[in-house]
C-alpha cells in the first residue's frame, strides 16, 4: 500500500506530542516484519501495554483429518451453520503451513470483545452482509464483493447491519500484497494492472475513545486464543501515519484482462502471499479468436492445489456447483472441464460468473469441518455425460 495519514500527530517523529493537559500521547510503532518492511506510527491516548489480566488460552487449532488420499473435493460452503459469535463462526476447511481457508457465517456484531490475529494477515471476502469494520486505524464500511485486507496484529471489531452474513477468509502467515509485476519501483500500480490506487479504500473515520476500564481482547497466536484484559480502550488513537493499515477493495472494481485465446489464471491475480495467490474471476468478454475455445484446457497441476469459491453466476443449472461452494483440485492429478462443457462454450461471448480463487503451492489439508460439507460424488463426476463445471475457469 501507500503512505496514508489520518488524525493528528507531531511534526517530527519520536518527539514530544502533548495533550491539552500537558501530558504526553503514547507513540507506538506498528510493524509486522521487524524494522525491514512497511510500518506505521500511531499516537494513542494511553500506552497500549496496560494489561489488567491474562486469561487461560483456548486451543482453536483446525481439526485435520490426516487424509492421505489425493482427491478432488466439492464443499457446499453455504451448509456452514450461521452462529452468533464471530470467532466461533470461523470454520477452517483447507489449511497448510502458508495459509488457511476459512468459511464463516456470523450473525452478531462484536460488542463485548475485540479481536487480534497475531498469527496471520487476513483477507476477508464479503459474500453476504454489510456493515463496518472498526479498527484502531479507523473504520472501513463494507458490502457485497469487498475484500477486506487486514494486516496481522490489527485490533478489530465487525459491526454487521443484519444477521445474514457470509464470509470467505484467507489467513496468510506472510504479508498479503498485490502482485509485484503490477507495481513500479516506487510501489505505484502500473497501467497494465487490473486495478489502481483509486480502487483501494483506506480507513477514514478515526474513532478515539479516551476511556479507561476493562477491555477484553482475544489474541490469536499459534492456534490458541488468549483472552487479554486491557486498562485502556484499544481504539484510543488520535492520529497515525505510515504504510501499514487495513484497506478494502471491491471485486467489482477488478478490471478483467481478456484475449483472443484462453488466458491462464495469473491474469485474474489480485493478491499474493508466500506460497499462494488470490485471484478474482469477474464478468468479462470471452476469447474473441474466431476458433477460440472459451472453456479452459485440461490442466495438469503438479505443483499447486487449486481452490475456487463460487460467488455468483448461473450455477444453479449446474449440478453439484452452487453459490457458496468450494472446489479443491489437488496437485498431482489433472483437472479440467466436465464432459460437454467445452462444446457448450463454443461461440459464447460473455460470462457473468463471479468467483474467488486461492491457489497454493504447498498441499492443502482438509479439516473435519470440510468433510461435513464434502460431496462424495465429485471426484468421479468427470466420467458422466452431464456434470458441467463452470466454463471459464481452470
Ligand atoms: Fe487449473
Amino acid at each position: 500500500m501507500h503512505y496514508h495519514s489520518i488524525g493528528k500527530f507531531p511534526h517530527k517523529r519520536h518527539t514530544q506530542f502533548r495533550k491539552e493537559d500537558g501530558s504526553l500521547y503514547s507513540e507506538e510503532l506498528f510493524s509486522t516484519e521487524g524494522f525491514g518492511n512497511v510500518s506505521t506510527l500511531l499516537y494513542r491516548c494511553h500506552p497500549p501495554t496496560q494489561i489488567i489480566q491474562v486469561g487461560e488460552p483456548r486451543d482453536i487449532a483446525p481439526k485435520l483429518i490426516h487424509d492421505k488420499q489425493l482427491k478432488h473435493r466439492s464443499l457446499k460452503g453455504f451448509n456452514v451453520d450461521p452462529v452468533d459469535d464471530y470467532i466461533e463462526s470461523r470454520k477452517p476447511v483447507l489449511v497448510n503451513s502458508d495459509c488457511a481457508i476459512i468459511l464463516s457465517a456470523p450473525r452478531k456484531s462484536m460488542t463485548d470483545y475485540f479481536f487480534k490475529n497475531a498469527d496471520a494477515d487476513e483477507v476477508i471476502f464479503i459474500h453476504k452482509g454489510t456493515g463496518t469494520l472498526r479498527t484502531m486505524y479507523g473504520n472501513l464500511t463494507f458490502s457485497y464483493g469487498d475484500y477486506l485486507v487486514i494486516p496481522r496484529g490489527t485490533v478489530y471489531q465487525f459491526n454487521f447491519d443484519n444477521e445474514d452474513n457470509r464470509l470467505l477468509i484467507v489467513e496468510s502467515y506472510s504479508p498479503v500484497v498485490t502482485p509485484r509485476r503490477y507495481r513500479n519501483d516506487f510501489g505505484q500500480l502500473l497501467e497494465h494492472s487490473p486495478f489502481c490506487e483509486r480502487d483501494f479504500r483506506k480507513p477514514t473515520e478515526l474513532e478515539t475513545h479516551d476511556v479507561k476500564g476493562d477491555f477484553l481482547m482475544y489474541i490469536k497466536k499459534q492456534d490458541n486464543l488468549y483472552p487479554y484484559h486491557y486498562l485502556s480502550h484499544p481504539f484510543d488513537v488520535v492520529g497515525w501515519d505510515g504504510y501499514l493499515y487495513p484497506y478494502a477493495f471491491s471485486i467489482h472494481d477488478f478490471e478483467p484482462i481478456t484475449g483472443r485465446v484462453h488466458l491462464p489464471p495469473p491474469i485474474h491475480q489480485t493478491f499474493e502471499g508466500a506460497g499462494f495467490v488470490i485471484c478474482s474471476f469477474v464478468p468479462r468478454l470471452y476469447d474473441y479468436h474466431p476458433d477460440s475455445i472459451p472453456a479452459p484446457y485440461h490442466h495438469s497441476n503438479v505443483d499447486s492445489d487449486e481452490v475456487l469459491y463460487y460467488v455468483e453466476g448461473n450455477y444453479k443449472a449446474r449440478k453439484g456447483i452452487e453459490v457458496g461452494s468450494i472446489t479443491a483440485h489437488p496437485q498431482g492429478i489433472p483437472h479440467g472441464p466436465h464432459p460437454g462443457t467445452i462444446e457448450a462454450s463454443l461461440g459464447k461471448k460473455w460470462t457473468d460468473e463471479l468467483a474467488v480463487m486461492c491457489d497454493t503451492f504447498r498441499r492443502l489439508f482438509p479439516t473435519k469441518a470440510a468433510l461435513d460439507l464434502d460431496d462424495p460424488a465429485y471426484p468421479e463426476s468427470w466420467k458422466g455425460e452431464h456434470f458441467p463445471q463452470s466454463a471459464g475457469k481452470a
Side-chain angles (χ1 to χ4, degrees):
M1 288 306 293
H2 307 92
Y3 179 81
H4 186 50
S5 67
I6 186 170
K8 56 183 182 179
F9 42 84
H11 175 68
K12 197 159 184 68
R13 62 187 176 182
H14 319 320
T15 57
Q16 296 174 29
F17 181 38
R18 295 189 180 276
K19 306 174 188 175
E20 284 185 6
D21 67 3
S23 62
L24 289 166
Y25 284 108
S26 293
E27 184 184 53
E28 179 188 17
L29 184 130
F30 205 102
S31 64
T32 62
E33 284 195 314
F35 293 92
N37 204 334
V38 291
S39 64
T40 283
L41 285 170
L42 302 111
Y43 295 86
R44 294 181 174 277
C45 297
H46 304 282
T49 48
Q50 296 174 300
I51 299 162
I52 299 174
Q53 182 194 343
V54 183
E56 285 299 310
R58 178 159 60 93
D59 182 5
I60 55 168
K63 304 291 185 287
L64 298 176
I65 60 170
H66 303 291
D67 179 15
K68 293 183 178 175
Q69 183 60 268
L70 274 180
K71 199 172 176 183
H72 296 310
R73 293 189 183 277
S74 174
L75 312 178
K76 295 188 184 306
F78 275 11
N79 285 359
V80 168
D81 290 329
V83 295
D84 286 348
D85 179 64
Y86 171 66
I87 294 177
E88 292 293 326
S89 78
R90 294 163 59 108
K91 309 290 187 199
V93 289
L94 297 164
V95 301
N96 68 17
S97 57
D98 294 318
C99 63
I101 297 170
I102 297 167
L103 294 169
S104 165
R107 273 197 294 245
K108 302 289 189 189
S109 297
M110 299 157 67
T111 54
D112 53 359
Y113 70 85
F114 302 84
F115 179 62
K116 178 166 92 170
N117 190 337
D119 278 329
D121 284 29
E122 296 184 347
V123 179
I124 302 180
F125 178 76
I126 308 294
H127 194 167
K128 282 188 171 185
T130 59
T132 304
L133 180 74
R134 301 174 64 207
T135 83
M136 62 200 199
Y137 296 97
N139 294 342
L140 289 163
T141 57
F142 62 82
S143 60
Y144 166 56
D146 279 340
Y147 293 102
L148 301 173
V149 182
I150 307 173
R152 73 191 74 175
T154 300
V155 179
Y156 70 80
Q157 280 187 325
F158 263 114
N159 191 5
F160 299 108
D161 292 337
N162 58 55
E163 295 193 351
D164 187 16
N165 304 294
R166 291 277 173 184
L167 315 175
L168 170 71
I169 304 171
V170 179
E171 279 190 346
S172 168
Y173 305 115
S174 60
V176 171
V177 296
T178 54
R180 179 66 185 89
R181 65 181 181 280
Y182 290 141
R183 289 182 271 122
N184 66 19
D185 288 346
F186 302 96
Q188 184 178 14
L189 290 161
L190 294 164
E191 282 293 312
H192 68 286
S193 169
F195 38 73
C196 76
E197 285 79 3
R198 296 181 196 181
D199 298 321
F200 292 84
R201 285 144 41 212
K202 300 168 183 174
T204 51
E205 180 194 353
L206 185 64
E207 291 187 32
T208 305
H209 298 274
D210 183 4
V211 289
K212 288 190 171 182
D214 182 343
F215 300 94
L216 173 59
M217 184 189 303
Y218 283 110
I219 300 174
K220 179 179 179 292
K221 189 66 181 173
Q222 293 177 323
D223 285 334
N224 277 286
L225 202 60
Y226 296 89
Y228 265 70
H229 292 260
Y230 279 97
L231 183 62
S232 55
H233 197 292
F235 303 158
D236 69 342
V237 175
V238 296
W240 59 264
D241 75 331
Y243 280 66
L244 185 70
Y245 49 87
Y247 62 91
F249 171 69
S250 173
I251 196 169
H252 307 302
D253 284 328
F254 186 94
E255 296 301 328
I257 297 168
T258 60
R260 288 231 304 165
V261 295
H262 189 79
L263 295 172
I267 59 149
H268 306 283
Q269 192 184 343
T270 313
F271 303 110
E272 66 188 27
F276 75 96
V277 297
I278 295 175
C279 300
S280 303
F281 288 79
V282 303
R284 64 195 180 279
L285 291 176
Y286 269 145
D287 322 319
Y288 44 88
H289 186 286
D291 293 327
S292 69
I293 299 176
Y297 31 77
H298 303 288
H299 180 200
S300 183
N301 51 315
V302 293
D303 57 351
S304 68
D305 277 20
E306 301 190 7
V307 173
L308 201 57
Y309 178 82
Y310 298 82
V311 181
E312 189 180 325
N314 185 25
Y315 300 115
K316 286 180 181 174
R318 295 169 178 148
K319 185 182 170 189
I321 305 298
E322 302 168 358
V323 166
S325 288
I326 285 176
T327 54
H329 299 140
Q331 52 195 273
I333 49 176
H335 61 278
H338 279 97
T341 306
I342 290 175
E343 292 79 2
S345 76
L346 301 180
K348 293 275 175 63
K349 303 295 184 192
W350 169 264
T351 176
D352 64 353
E353 60 202 12
L354 195 64
V356 174
M357 192 174 83
C358 182
D359 284 4
T360 65
F361 289 112
R362 293 183 206 273
R363 192 179 167 190
L364 286 162
F365 294 94
T367 64
K368 188 173 180 306
L371 282 198
D372 294 339
L373 311 171
D374 195 23
D375 177 359
Y378 185 67
E380 298 179 11
S381 60
W382 282 264
K383 69 185 179 186
E385 288 291 315
H386 300 290
F387 199 142
Q389 195 194 18
S390 166
K393 299 175 275 295

